[in-house]
Amino acid sequence: MKLSRLALGLSLSAPALLLASPSALAQTLSGTVTNAAGKPLANATVEIEALKRVTSTNELGEFTFSNVKEGDYTLHIFASGFAHLHEHAQVQSDNAEGANFVLARSAIEVIDVHATPMHLSVMESATPVSVLSGETLRRQQAATLGDTLEKLPGVQSNFHGNVTSTPIIRGLSGPRVLITQNGLDVSDVSRVGPDHAVASEASTAKQIEVLRGPATLFFGSGAIGGVVNVVDQRVPTSTETRGEFVLETQTVNDQKLGTFNVTTGVDNIAFYADGFYRDSNDYETPVAPDIDDPDGAHVVENSNEESNGFTLGTSYLFDQGYVGVAVERFEREYGVPGHSHGGDTSVFADLEQTKYQLLGEYNFTNDFLQSVHFRAGYTDYEHAEVEGGLVGTTFSNETEELRVELLHKPMAGWRGGISLHYKGSDVFAQGEEAFTPPSEMEMFAVALMEERHFGDFLVQLGARAESVTLDASSVLLPELDAHEHDDEHDHDEHAHDEHEGSEFVRQFAVDQEFTPISLSAGVVYTINESYNVGVSLSRSERAPSASELLSFGPHIGTRTYEIGALFDLSEEGEFVLSQTAIDLETANNIDLTFRKTQGDVGFVFNAFYNQVDNYYFQEETGLFAESGHDHDHGEEGHGEEEHSEDEHSDELPVYLFDSADAVLHGFELQVAWQTTDNLKLDFFADYVKARLKDGGALPRTSPMRVGSHVAYTLDNIRADLDITYFAKQDDISTFETETDGYTLVDASITYDIPLGDIDLSVYLSGENLTDEEARVHTSFLKDIAPRPGRNFAFGVRGYF
């Protein structure tokens, strides 16, 4: 945003005049913040960026900083509903009057991003960013992270029976989208398969940030497709007493939810606590879930869940920063739809996680370093799949992570610093469905990030180098009886051969080393006070994950038999070690952004083109293998098997990880119109086309969407209406089926009741009000688990 040239007044401190020389006088920096009509803005935030000093305006819009040395500073001023203002301030001893700072209205909420080490907001970055916070976050929060974020432009969900879902960003998901909490890896196994839940809770979050496109400079090669950062206040930076609570019930699955968070403190010691409890039954659908059983009950079986968690944190605050620690316990027990064995025996997942985080910041007073930010975490995760009261398969993940960011003071106009990053994880899976062998990953990285204003141009540069090692001491290569369905020998013979073949298993060690290098350059040009345009170029490299490389076994959650890229299919029809070198996946991405940042109408338009060389994907082999279980339900997954369920009920299609060049391109559009002080209209659309460079669409690509939101407020009442249209998806890969389009209509009404120091809100919301049959194309379960039917939620929310 263009810096205006307003002069900032200063008032001199009389005692300082008597006791200090003119060059070391203690000055008082003050001013007033108003809107365009001259009305004072209370609770606006004013920050001296170089000093990391923050204050708020009073009821008259006034602010004051004491003990400010003479020099040149940049003020960052912002308030809800207004565009951010970056103001040049020259502190001089002969300037005695405070200045008035005018904030321009912004129809699109401008929110700071915590995921990046340097200051960044959604309207100022060359990299496309979306943030879900405040009332919008509370209104859209769901039991899963993917479903919570799916109304953001460019983000969709791989909806997995209402019990698990992860975000899909611009057609990419899984190991290409990193999910973090306060900038540290959430460290679950959700990126291994869609049937594994994300171990993070939206109901206790302050905001959720989505960096669309490669964010590898900040987070590493696992963020080649984007980052979702869940921000909470578990390590508090204030001793002010505040908090919130929510009680809610829903009709479609009898869900009961209770959640709270509170921050308080004494002197320099701050405390934080949060907790939640959620319980729900199987959810109802407008039609029979299974398309092969149109007369079945309108309930998705095995889609129930019970989860709870709590977090305790404390920190020590001092003039130069803070340091604090937090511990979280997260537990979730949920059914896995389509994953029942042997008749009435259902399989459910029992997830437990303990997470420790150490966060801190120190602001220096010397002439070189400005500040250091450090984040450290340890996570102990375990996920057991339980069948008939017995544990069948166990997944575990122990992760240690450390990030240190050293930011320097402006040098020749450049702001930025160096990031040092370490992450180590030990992933273990044991049981009959442990399709990936135990492995250890270790990553060391160093990154450089810099930015500078050249008049109306903001230039952002970055580079990152990593050293990644992947060790697996017990990789298995069994003799697999994989066959086509037109084989004329009977099904029982396959089962017998598979049992006998399992005795002949090769075991060997794998030690892979990779050196991903990522580069990024971006420019934001401020056309005038209301418009800017940005372009971002990046080249990001990614090492394949353990599951993409080492898998060899049945993955029941996706109804496939998965075989990793370390193996190959010989001409004789046998799986052998591949002789092809394992290459880094490389994304060459360009983003073009055009924004209107001020006024009653605002918009953000992003267009992107992403060419990914050596894109790892699962290729259908045409073969089938025994799963080792007799499953009650099949699903579309990767293919539509043209055989009867009775004849081959325990067989899975064999998919082999391969690599090929791919291209993904599309756009996102967001328009906001503040028609009056009471009425606001929002519109969004997004589209992505994902294909292999040599021809053929990538599977489960997000369909085009068009959505609108209407918000009306009057005194203590707020009403919201959302209408989202999902287009038909007929641009499909081989063995996929088309998915019909559908329209979802959601609405809510909220009534605010001030009760002394507590702001109480009572709300009633409805989802899928037209009770539309909606099958999610990106879901592995689309043929047996459509979206929930008409749902009403009633709740009470309080702030204090």
Side-chain angles (χ1 to χ4, degrees):
M1 194 169 296
K2 188 175 182 179
L3 299 179
S4 58
R5 298 291 184 249
L6 296 178
L8 181 65
L10 300 170
S11 60
L12 299 180
S13 171
L17 280 170
L18 298 174
L19 300 176
S21 65
S23 61
L25 291 176
Q27 310 293 344
T28 299
L29 185 156
S30 61
T32 304
V33 180
T34 67
N35 62 14
K39 182 180 178 181
L41 294 178
N43 296 318
T45 300
V46 183
E47 177 188 13
I48 305 176
E49 291 186 346
L51 303 179
K52 293 292 184 179
R53 293 183 59 182
V54 179
T55 190
S56 299
T57 58
N58 60 21
E59 294 181 357
L60 299 177
E62 300 169 339
F63 68 90
T64 300
F65 292 97
S66 59
N67 298 321
V68 182
K69 293 182 179 180
E70 293 183 11
D72 293 332
Y73 300 94
T74 298
L75 297 183
H76 177 208
I77 307 173
F78 56 96
S80 178
F82 294 87
H84 287 212
L85 180 65
H86 292 272
E87 201 67 57
H88 178 72
Q90 187 176 36
V91 177
Q92 297 176 342
S93 60
D94 58 353
N95 202 345
E97 292 186 3
N100 183 54
F101 300 90
V102 180
L103 295 188
R105 192 172 185 172
S106 175
I108 295 180
E109 187 74 12
V110 183
I111 304 172
D112 277 342
V113 179
H114 294 258
T116 58
M118 294 181 291
H119 164 74
L120 186 72
S121 78
V122 296
M123 301 296 274
E124 300 169 302
S125 169
T127 302
V129 185
S130 293
V131 178
L132 196 60
S133 67
E135 292 297 323
T136 305
L137 172 58
R138 293 296 171 248
R139 184 168 53 85
Q140 296 183 10
Q141 73 184 32
T144 64
L145 188 61
D147 298 341
T148 297
L149 298 175
E150 69 167 342
K151 289 183 180 178
L152 291 177
V155 183
Q156 295 198 34
S157 166
N158 69 353
F159 181 83
H160 200 82
N162 217 41
V163 292
T164 68
S165 76
T166 54
I168 299 173
I169 301 178
R170 293 179 167 181
L172 298 176
S173 61
R176 298 177 181 88
V177 173
L178 181 63
I179 300 173
T180 65
Q181 196 159 35
N182 299 316
L184 296 171
D185 196 334
V186 73
S187 301
D188 51 28
V189 293
S190 61
R191 299 203 291 170
V192 174
D195 55 324
H196 299 157
V198 177
S200 185
E201 177 61 27
S203 67
T204 57
K206 175 185 176 182
Q207 65 185 48
I208 304 177
E209 306 161 349
V210 178
L211 280 66
R212 299 193 296 275
T216 54
L217 293 180
F218 303 116
F219 296 97
S221 58
I224 199 170
V227 168
V228 175
N229 185 40
V230 180
V231 180
D232 57 33
Q233 299 170 305
R234 63 182 55 198
V235 174
T237 57
S238 170
T239 58
E240 178 186 0
T241 298
R242 61 180 182 271
E244 66 175 308
F245 62 86
V246 176
L247 297 172
E248 181 183 282
T249 182
Q250 297 187 13
T251 60
V252 76
N253 57 357
D254 297 322
Q255 176 178 284
K256 307 294 186 298
L257 171 67
T259 178
F260 80 94
N261 67 76
V262 60
T263 302
T264 188
V266 178
D267 296 328
N268 288 7
I269 307 297
F271 301 97
Y272 173 84
D274 73 35
F276 79 96
Y277 175 80
R278 179 185 293 105
D279 180 74
S280 64
N281 297 325
D282 296 344
Y283 71 89
E284 300 173 354
T285 62
V287 296
D290 195 336
I291 60 174
D292 295 326
D293 184 19
D295 298 324
H298 292 199
V299 174
V300 174
E301 296 181 356
N302 214 25
S303 62
N304 57 310
E305 70 137 321
E306 182 178 358
S307 56
N308 65 85
F310 69 88
T311 305
L312 298 175
T314 184
S315 59
Y316 176 70
L317 313 179
F318 48 93
D319 291 341
Q320 288 78 32
Y322 71 94
V323 60
V325 64
V327 58
E328 175 196 20
R329 178 66 176 177
F330 183 96
E331 297 181 359
R332 191 171 191 212
E333 187 176 289
Y334 61 94
V336 184
H339 194 345
S340 57
H341 298 161
D344 296 330
T345 303
S346 295
V347 174
F348 68 89
D350 188 2
L351 184 161
E352 297 180 354
Q353 177 175 275
T354 303
K355 180 187 295 289
Y356 303 89
Q357 288 193 346
L358 173 67
L359 309 179
E361 176 181 322
Y362 187 87
N363 297 296
F364 294 93
T365 58
N366 61 41
D367 294 331
F368 178 70
L369 282 178
Q370 175 175 299
S371 63
V372 57
H373 306 255
F374 58 90
R375 299 181 177 122
Y378 171 78
T379 302
D380 185 4
Y381 171 95
E382 186 172 288
H383 165 166
E385 292 189 354
V386 182
E387 175 187 355
L390 300 176
V391 175
T393 306
T394 300
F395 300 87
S396 66
N397 184 7
E398 289 189 40
T399 302
E400 307 94 24
E401 186 172 9
L402 174 65
R403 289 179 59 185
V404 179
E405 292 151 357
L406 298 167
L407 304 183
H408 62 75
K409 290 187 176 180
M411 301 173 58
W414 289 94
R415 298 173 59 249
I418 294 176
S419 174
L420 305 174
H421 192 185
Y422 166 80
K423 181 163 58 177
S425 64
D426 186 354
V427 179
F428 178 80
Q430 184 177 25
E432 53 196 7
E433 293 177 12
F435 57 94
T436 301
S439 63
E440 296 181 4
M441 185 279 296
E442 197 168 45
M443 181 271 294
F444 296 91
V446 58
L448 175 67
M449 295 153 285
E450 297 287 337
E451 69 174 22
R452 181 182 174 182
H453 283 275
F454 294 89
D456 294 331
F457 292 86
L458 172 62
V459 177
Q460 298 174 329
L461 303 175
R464 180 183 177 103
E466 295 184 20
S467 173
V468 180
T469 60
L470 178 64
D471 297 329
S473 60
S474 182
V475 178
L476 304 180
L477 175 56
E479 289 188 5
L480 180 67
D481 177 26
H483 51 271
E484 297 179 356
H485 271 158
D486 57 2
D487 288 349
E488 302 202 350
H489 51 295
D490 62 33
H491 179 69
D492 291 336
E493 183 180 343
H494 287 311
H496 179 69
D497 291 344
E498 172 73 14
H499 177 72
E500 291 184 346
S502 63
E503 298 178 2
F504 302 95
V505 179
R506 291 182 58 191
Q507 180 174 328
F508 53 94
V510 171
D511 183 358
Q512 292 281 334
E513 295 185 7
F514 305 95
T515 309
I517 305 292
S518 299
L519 303 170
S520 177
V523 178
V524 180
Y525 170 57
T526 301
I527 302 172
N528 55 40
E529 291 185 349
S530 297
Y531 295 89
N532 68 43
V533 61
V535 58
S536 176
L537 300 171
S538 64
R539 177 180 174 84
S540 305
E541 295 181 330
R542 181 182 75 90
S545 66
S547 60
E548 292 172 311
L549 197 60
L550 308 176
S551 294
F552 205 117
H555 189 178
I556 307 304
T558 60
R559 290 293 297 158
T560 60
Y561 198 102
E562 295 189 3
I563 298 179
L566 192 65
F567 309 99
D568 204 353
L569 184 61
S570 68
E571 294 181 357
E572 292 76 20
E574 298 180 351
F575 287 96
V576 297
L577 284 176
S578 175
Q579 301 303 309
T580 304
I582 303 300
D583 293 322
L584 290 169
E585 186 176 273
T586 304
N588 300 282
N589 186 82
I590 180 171
D591 265 288
L592 299 175
T593 302
F594 182 42
R595 308 181 184 99
K596 185 177 186 296
T597 62
Q598 298 184 13
D600 292 334
V601 176
F603 63 78
V604 179
F605 176 75
N606 302 309
F608 66 92
Y609 182 90
N610 192 3
Q611 178 177 312
V612 186
D613 298 334
N614 301 316
Y615 180 91
Y616 285 89
F617 69 103
Q618 289 175 295
E619 185 175 28
E620 196 268 345
T621 63
L623 304 176
F624 292 80
E626 303 295 335
S627 68
H629 280 291
D630 183 11
H631 296 271
D632 288 346
H633 294 288
E635 57 170 303
E636 178 256 345
H638 294 275
E640 304 295 330
E641 297 87 338
E642 297 179 359
H643 60 284
S644 73
E645 185 72 17
D646 293 335
E647 183 182 358
H648 299 289
S649 60
D650 59 346
E651 290 186 339
L652 299 175
V654 177
Y655 275 76
L656 177 67
F657 275 98
D658 198 358
S659 63
D661 295 344
V663 174
L664 300 93
H665 60 88
F667 71 87
E668 298 117 15
L669 174 64
Q670 179 184 5
V671 181
W673 179 22
Q674 190 75 52
T675 59
T676 68
D677 289 340
N678 304 104
L679 181 63
K680 183 179 180 182
L681 308 178
D682 290 277
F683 169 86
F684 82 91
D686 57 24
Y687 169 77
V688 60
K689 184 176 180 63
R691 57 185 173 84
L692 295 174
K693 197 172 183 180
D694 293 335
L698 291 175
R700 294 174 305 283
T701 299
S702 309
M704 181 176 178
R705 293 185 304 171
V706 176
S708 62
H709 172 239
V710 181
Y712 180 77
T713 58
L714 180 63
D715 297 328
N716 293 346
I717 297 178
R718 175 187 171 108
D720 294 271
L721 174 66
D722 289 279
I723 301 176
T724 308
Y725 170 69
F726 291 74
K728 177 181 180 179
Q729 182 57 287
D730 54 8
D731 188 10
I732 57 176
S733 67
T734 307
F735 301 102
E736 268 195 300
T737 57
E738 297 180 357
T739 306
D740 292 335
Y742 54 89
T743 301
L744 298 179
V745 180
D746 306 330
S748 66
I749 185 167
T750 304
Y751 182 71
D752 297 330
I753 308 172
L755 293 176
D757 294 333
I758 298 179
D759 294 327
L760 195 68
S761 298
V762 180
Y763 61 91
L764 175 67
S765 64
E767 298 176 325
N768 193 8
L769 292 176
T770 59
D771 207 29
E772 175 125 349
E773 178 184 357
R775 297 187 182 271
V776 181
H777 184 77
T778 54
S779 172
F780 282 94
L781 299 182
K782 74 170 189 177
D783 285 345
I784 65 169
R787 288 180 182 268
R790 185 183 296 111
N791 178 37
F792 292 100
F794 175 77
V796 178
R797 183 181 301 120
Y799 300 92
F800 56 89

